[in-house]
Amino acid sequence: MRYGNRLLFGVWLLVCASFIEETQEVAADVKLPGVFGNSMLLQQESDVLLWGWAAAGEKIEVSADWLQTEIAVVAGDDGKWNAKVKTPVAGGPYDVTVAGTNSITLHDVMIGEVWLCSGQSNMAWPVHLADKAQDEIAAACFPDIRLFQMKRTIATLPANDCDGRWVKCSPETVASFSAVAYFYGRELHRELGVPVGLIDSSWGGTVAEAWTSSEGLAREGGFEDALSILAAERRQPGALKERHARRLEEYWTAVREIDPGSGDPGWEKPEYDDSHWKVAHVPGAWHYDRLDSYDGIIWFRRHVDVPQEWLGQDLRVELGPIDDIDTTYFNGVKLGDPEHTRDWLTRREYRLPAHVVRAGTNVLAIRILDNIAEGGIYGNEKDLRVYQDNDGSAAPLSLAGLWRYHLGAAKESLPDWPGTGELHANWPTVLYNGMIAPIVGYSIAGVIWYQGESNRSQAAKYRTLFPTLIGDWREKWSIGEFPFYYVQIAPFKYSGDKGETALLRETQAGALSLRNTGMVVTTDIGNINDIHPRDKQTVGRRLALWALAKTYGRRETICSGPMFSKMEIEDDRIRVHFSHVGGGLRSRDSAPLSWFELAGETGHYVPAKAIIEGHTVVVYSVEVPKPVAVRFAWADVAEPNLMNAEGLPAVPFRTDLWDGQ
């Protein structure tokens, strides 16, 4: 054969081999979504659904250690396949194998009870920021509790996959996991003696409509404009993002013009004299200087003495979570670019380039913009540090302690945050699409939910929206009316008590009319100065009481505090009857009952006295000789003391319907 022909023949062989290899790769491309993986936990005694993708028409065989025979299915024209697998009673570990042309084996699979844990920041709040965090983390050695933490994702259409992985619960894995979810799962694991799987799909500061599907919101009504804009974004991807980026730049340009610290000389500059600034301890919320309800910009500065031997190398700065948005400078040089996000639960970590570090005193300056509730630099003291980027053996420099601070521009002087009207985490449906849709079908025992603060100003809408969300998820899963246990929002000193929080709590209580629901009351474990109470252990335990009583058949378990049943007017007083009294009514602190109010025909409520008589409470006031209505714990900051003998607080209520709701 001539050389040229041999060359062409060789090229032809390579092309054929490449074609054959590519053809085999396509045929062998059996894939599983991220929710299936090593160390996962499957719901016991159920027909669980396994699914994935392969070549169209490819035969898939599913086998598991507990199965007697393999289950064979065929991928559809779209390449998707699914198989129903009957699971045994709780136990493990097992192997599960999915085989087409190629084979995937999942190891260390446990069978037990799976719960989806969702909501906003009080659900997302991590173990490392809860009460007794270090002790809890050190004791979190529960290999039969499996954790799956969903990456925060928004999507314009229901996604078919998610980013996350199953891990065994350990001191190394639990710190950043949802505290409420972990303490709930731990209680179930201890009480039931079975493996427990927890899927954490939560995002701080989010509204219920973001967690509801487009079909659910269409039935609910009132979201047509937002859904229409979302449809336009799907037709022209990136249009909203580009507009949002422009508005963000306009926003920060305006901030720099308004905020005195961003002027000349800027407060980030090392040469700026901050000796007249006040001093506060960091980490912590800014409760000092009567700033509990302050929204806007506060600047923080601290001197940092870097050892001579650290010069000439990159360093790292860790600051813990910052609420809401930080712009961080070292010797006047901006670190990172966090200004596009309001992810106030994430620990800040920045690379400190060697060229910005100098011998002697350096200056770390942070401009913090808080848009809602309290702000501050959070975390544990050990979270705030400067250390060598090359894993040097030298001990890190602590940044905890006294910092200087000074007020910048108040929120009312700044333009509106440009998130409104743009694609963001509070856009209707986007969190359902990105963080719920990918796991719809994964067999669960039920849901625990902690959300409502971000819908506080739309309490009337939430009255139907929240039940819509519950029904929407149940419909999507198609496994019946699975348990849905949730937490009523805690007392907090919002800016001005307009009764919005009381209305929101009332709408949450109203959802108890739905089958298989239960509600945890938190009026006794909140913190009116902190929208994120740290006692997540009690929240988790109380959620578990509902599950133990209603899902797992422990009928003797008292799962609710006293709940209004009916009232009787007796001359100049009202007698209130309760259900769920358990072992009887009590005052938590043995003091007179608090937060009861009476109103006459004028509709004006006044504080009233209340006494326990058996399973009832008698309410009276000399100011209301002819009472017609009574209410209890009807305020943002209400921390009443009525409970049952089991220590569960009474549910807030009112008996009037004067606002038509």
PDB file of all heavy atoms in Angstrom, residues 11 16 270 336 383 387 390 451 478 490 605 611 634-635:
ATOM      1  N   VAL A  11      -6.121   7.102   9.281  1.00  0.00           N
ATOM      2  CA  VAL A  11      -7.039   8.145   9.746  1.00  0.00           C
ATOM      3  C   VAL A  11      -8.462   7.601   9.806  1.00  0.00           C
ATOM      4  O   VAL A  11      -9.218   7.850  10.741  1.00  0.00           O
ATOM      5  CB  VAL A  11      -6.965   9.380   8.822  1.00  0.00           C
ATOM      6  CG1 VAL A  11      -8.083  10.367   9.162  1.00  0.00           C
ATOM      7  CG2 VAL A  11      -5.606  10.048   8.939  1.00  0.00           C
ATOM      8  N   CYS A  16     -13.191   5.772  12.809  1.00  0.00           N
ATOM      9  CA  CYS A  16     -14.127   4.707  13.148  1.00  0.00           C
ATOM     10  C   CYS A  16     -14.058   4.363  14.622  1.00  0.00           C
ATOM     11  O   CYS A  16     -15.081   4.187  15.285  1.00  0.00           O
ATOM     12  CB  CYS A  16     -13.834   3.459  12.305  1.00  0.00           C
ATOM     13  SG  CYS A  16     -14.299   3.661  10.559  1.00  0.00           S
ATOM     14  N   PRO A 270      -6.446  53.394  55.507  1.00  0.00           N
ATOM     15  CA  PRO A 270      -5.700  53.149  56.746  1.00  0.00           C
ATOM     16  C   PRO A 270      -5.321  54.435  57.466  1.00  0.00           C
ATOM     17  O   PRO A 270      -5.186  54.464  58.688  1.00  0.00           O
ATOM     18  CB  PRO A 270      -4.476  52.356  56.282  1.00  0.00           C
ATOM     19  CG  PRO A 270      -4.358  52.638  54.824  1.00  0.00           C
ATOM     20  CD  PRO A 270      -5.747  52.849  54.321  1.00  0.00           C
ATOM     21  N   GLY A 336     -12.610  40.745  47.587  1.00  0.00           N
ATOM     22  CA  GLY A 336     -13.773  40.041  47.072  1.00  0.00           C
ATOM     23  C   GLY A 336     -14.794  40.992  46.469  1.00  0.00           C
ATOM     24  O   GLY A 336     -14.550  42.185  46.308  1.00  0.00           O
ATOM     25  N   ASP A 383     -14.340  32.061  64.607  1.00  0.00           N
ATOM     26  CA  ASP A 383     -14.600  32.249  63.186  1.00  0.00           C
ATOM     27  C   ASP A 383     -13.944  33.507  62.633  1.00  0.00           C
ATOM     28  O   ASP A 383     -13.852  33.671  61.414  1.00  0.00           O
ATOM     29  CB  ASP A 383     -16.108  32.338  62.930  1.00  0.00           C
ATOM     30  CG  ASP A 383     -16.836  31.050  63.249  1.00  0.00           C
ATOM     31  OD1 ASP A 383     -16.209  29.989  63.139  1.00  0.00           O
ATOM     32  OD2 ASP A 383     -18.026  31.111  63.607  1.00  0.00           O
ATOM     33  N   TYR A 387      -5.100  34.307  58.931  1.00  0.00           N
ATOM     34  CA  TYR A 387      -4.148  33.207  59.031  1.00  0.00           C
ATOM     35  C   TYR A 387      -3.388  33.051  57.721  1.00  0.00           C
ATOM     36  O   TYR A 387      -3.746  33.627  56.682  1.00  0.00           O
ATOM     37  CB  TYR A 387      -4.847  31.899  59.408  1.00  0.00           C
ATOM     38  CG  TYR A 387      -5.876  31.410  58.422  1.00  0.00           C
ATOM     39  CD1 TYR A 387      -5.557  30.471  57.448  1.00  0.00           C
ATOM     40  CD2 TYR A 387      -7.183  31.886  58.474  1.00  0.00           C
ATOM     41  CE1 TYR A 387      -6.506  30.017  56.552  1.00  0.00           C
ATOM     42  CE2 TYR A 387      -8.136  31.440  57.585  1.00  0.00           C
ATOM     43  CZ  TYR A 387      -7.798  30.511  56.622  1.00  0.00           C
ATOM     44  OH  TYR A 387      -8.738  30.073  55.735  1.00  0.00           O
ATOM     45  N   ASN A 390      -0.824  29.423  53.285  1.00  0.00           N
ATOM     46  CA  ASN A 390      -0.036  28.251  52.889  1.00  0.00           C
ATOM     47  C   ASN A 390       0.027  27.211  53.996  1.00  0.00           C
ATOM     48  O   ASN A 390       1.005  26.470  54.103  1.00  0.00           O
ATOM     49  CB  ASN A 390       1.385  28.670  52.494  1.00  0.00           C
ATOM     50  CG  ASN A 390       2.119  29.336  53.655  1.00  0.00           C
ATOM     51  OD1 ASN A 390       1.535  29.542  54.718  1.00  0.00           O
ATOM     52  ND2 ASN A 390       3.379  29.666  53.455  1.00  0.00           N
ATOM     53  N   GLN A 451     -41.156  29.058  58.332  1.00  0.00           N
ATOM     54  CA  GLN A 451     -41.169  30.204  57.431  1.00  0.00           C
ATOM     55  C   GLN A 451     -42.367  31.058  57.769  1.00  0.00           C
ATOM     56  O   GLN A 451     -43.334  30.580  58.345  1.00  0.00           O
ATOM     57  CB  GLN A 451     -41.227  29.733  55.968  1.00  0.00           C
ATOM     58  CG  GLN A 451     -41.047  30.791  54.892  1.00  0.00           C
ATOM     59  CD  GLN A 451     -42.328  31.534  54.538  1.00  0.00           C
ATOM     60  OE1 GLN A 451     -43.436  31.043  54.792  1.00  0.00           O
ATOM     61  NE2 GLN A 451     -42.208  32.712  53.979  1.00  0.00           N
ATOM     62  N   SER A 478     -47.589  13.005  45.109  1.00  0.00           N
ATOM     63  CA  SER A 478     -48.552  11.933  44.798  1.00  0.00           C
ATOM     64  C   SER A 478     -48.416  10.736  45.739  1.00  0.00           C
ATOM     65  O   SER A 478     -48.501   9.579  45.305  1.00  0.00           O
ATOM     66  CB  SER A 478     -48.379  11.467  43.332  1.00  0.00           C
ATOM     67  OG  SER A 478     -48.653  12.523  42.441  1.00  0.00           O
ATOM     68  N   ALA A 490     -41.665  33.445  65.854  1.00  0.00           N
ATOM     69  CA  ALA A 490     -41.359  33.796  67.239  1.00  0.00           C
ATOM     70  C   ALA A 490     -41.557  35.287  67.502  1.00  0.00           C
ATOM     71  O   ALA A 490     -41.611  36.096  66.569  1.00  0.00           O
ATOM     72  CB  ALA A 490     -39.916  33.389  67.551  1.00  0.00           C
ATOM     73  N   TYR A 605     -59.522  47.114  72.837  1.00  0.00           N
ATOM     74  CA  TYR A 605     -58.965  46.139  73.767  1.00  0.00           C
ATOM     75  C   TYR A 605     -58.145  46.819  74.859  1.00  0.00           C
ATOM     76  O   TYR A 605     -57.425  47.804  74.606  1.00  0.00           O
ATOM     77  CB  TYR A 605     -58.065  45.147  73.028  1.00  0.00           C
ATOM     78  CG  TYR A 605     -58.807  43.995  72.397  1.00  0.00           C
ATOM     79  CD1 TYR A 605     -59.085  43.992  71.032  1.00  0.00           C
ATOM     80  CD2 TYR A 605     -59.224  42.910  73.152  1.00  0.00           C
ATOM     81  CE1 TYR A 605     -59.763  42.931  70.441  1.00  0.00           C
ATOM     82  CE2 TYR A 605     -59.900  41.841  72.581  1.00  0.00           C
ATOM     83  CZ  TYR A 605     -60.168  41.860  71.224  1.00  0.00           C
ATOM     84  OH  TYR A 605     -60.834  40.807  70.651  1.00  0.00           O
ATOM     85  N   ILE A 611     -57.261  34.294  85.362  1.00  0.00           N
ATOM     86  CA  ILE A 611     -56.960  33.273  86.359  1.00  0.00           C
ATOM     87  C   ILE A 611     -57.379  31.905  85.820  1.00  0.00           C
ATOM     88  O   ILE A 611     -58.327  31.780  85.051  1.00  0.00           O
ATOM     89  CB  ILE A 611     -57.670  33.552  87.701  1.00  0.00           C
ATOM     90  CG1 ILE A 611     -59.183  33.657  87.503  1.00  0.00           C
ATOM     91  CG2 ILE A 611     -57.116  34.809  88.356  1.00  0.00           C
ATOM     92  CD1 ILE A 611     -59.959  33.761  88.810  1.00  0.00           C
ATOM     93  N   TRP A 634     -51.564  38.913  71.457  1.00  0.00           N
ATOM     94  CA  TRP A 634     -51.827  39.567  70.176  1.00  0.00           C
ATOM     95  C   TRP A 634     -50.877  40.756  69.983  1.00  0.00           C
ATOM     96  O   TRP A 634     -51.262  41.911  70.024  1.00  0.00           O
ATOM     97  CB  TRP A 634     -53.282  40.019  70.110  1.00  0.00           C
ATOM     98  CG  TRP A 634     -53.754  40.285  68.704  1.00  0.00           C
ATOM     99  CD1 TRP A 634     -53.826  41.490  68.075  1.00  0.00           C
ATOM    100  CD2 TRP A 634     -54.188  39.317  67.757  1.00  0.00           C
ATOM    101  NE1 TRP A 634     -54.281  41.337  66.802  1.00  0.00           N
ATOM    102  CE2 TRP A 634     -54.514  40.004  66.571  1.00  0.00           C
ATOM    103  CE3 TRP A 634     -54.331  37.927  67.789  1.00  0.00           C
ATOM    104  CZ2 TRP A 634     -54.979  39.357  65.422  1.00  0.00           C
ATOM    105  CZ3 TRP A 634     -54.793  37.275  66.649  1.00  0.00           C
ATOM    106  CH2 TRP A 634     -55.108  37.997  65.488  1.00  0.00           C
ATOM    107  N   ALA A 635     -49.591  40.466  69.775  1.00  0.00           N
ATOM    108  CA  ALA A 635     -48.587  41.512  69.580  1.00  0.00           C
ATOM    109  C   ALA A 635     -47.320  40.887  69.024  1.00  0.00           C
ATOM    110  O   ALA A 635     -47.060  39.691  69.198  1.00  0.00           O
ATOM    111  CB  ALA A 635     -48.278  42.230  70.896  1.00  0.00           C
TER     112      ALA A 635
END
